[in-house]
């Protein structure tokens, strides 16, 4: 799981953790302190493409954090985030649109079984 928040000083704070399958939301809660989200100037999320569970959990978390804390939300594809410095520069220049909701993009159909 990778989470990026935009602190006020023009830097991107990127957090990365190895997450067991199905534990993304619980892991997110352990390392995203409310005071850090409150101080952030926005929330960025990679919408995909990616695996069903990972993308769904990450996008859900970003949409939720942005909505609950009233932060601007920015969605990117995995190709756009290959270099976070480019993302930072685009955000600083104001060339990335704020979106009300980011939809997940999957690279395959979900494999859901009973």
């Amino acid at each position: 799981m990778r989470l990026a928040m935009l602190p006020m000083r023009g830097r991107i704070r990127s957090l990365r953790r190895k997450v067991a399958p199905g534990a993304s939301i619980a892991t997110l809660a352990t390392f995203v302190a409310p005071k850090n989200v409150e101080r952030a100037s926005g929330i960025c999320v990679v919408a995909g493409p990616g695996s069903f569970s990972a993308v769904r959990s990450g996008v859900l978390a970003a949409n939720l954090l942005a909505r609950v804390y009233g932060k601007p939300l920015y969605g990117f594809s995995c190709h756009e985030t290959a270099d976070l410095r480019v993302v930072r520069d685009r955000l600083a220049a104001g060339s990335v649109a704020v979106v009300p909701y980011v939809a997940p993009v999957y690279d395959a159909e979900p494999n859901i079984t009973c």
Side-chain angles (χ1 to χ4, degrees), residues 3-90:
L3 174 75
M5 291 184 285
L6 307 174
M8 297 290 205
R9 290 176 235 113
R11 296 183 323 213
I12 295 176
R13 181 174 181 204
S14 178
L15 308 168
R16 190 180 287 225
R17 292 260 169 98
K18 190 159 186 114
V19 179
S24 296
I25 299 301
T27 301
L28 179 68
T30 65
F31 72 95
V32 177
K35 66 180 179 180
N36 291 336
V37 179
E38 289 169 0
R39 288 193 316 230
S41 57
I43 305 290
C44 294
V45 64
V46 176
S51 70
F52 181 80
S53 296
V55 171
R56 182 180 168 115
S57 298
V59 170
L60 169 68
N63 283 322
L64 182 65
L65 287 170
R67 172 90 33 130
V68 168
Y69 288 95
K71 301 293 179 183
L73 179 63
Y74 305 93
F76 295 93
S77 72
C78 64
H79 308 293
E80 292 175 300
T81 59
D83 185 349
L84 287 179
R85 291 173 296 197
V86 172
V87 173
R88 178 198 60 210
D89 294 344
R90 287 183 59 207

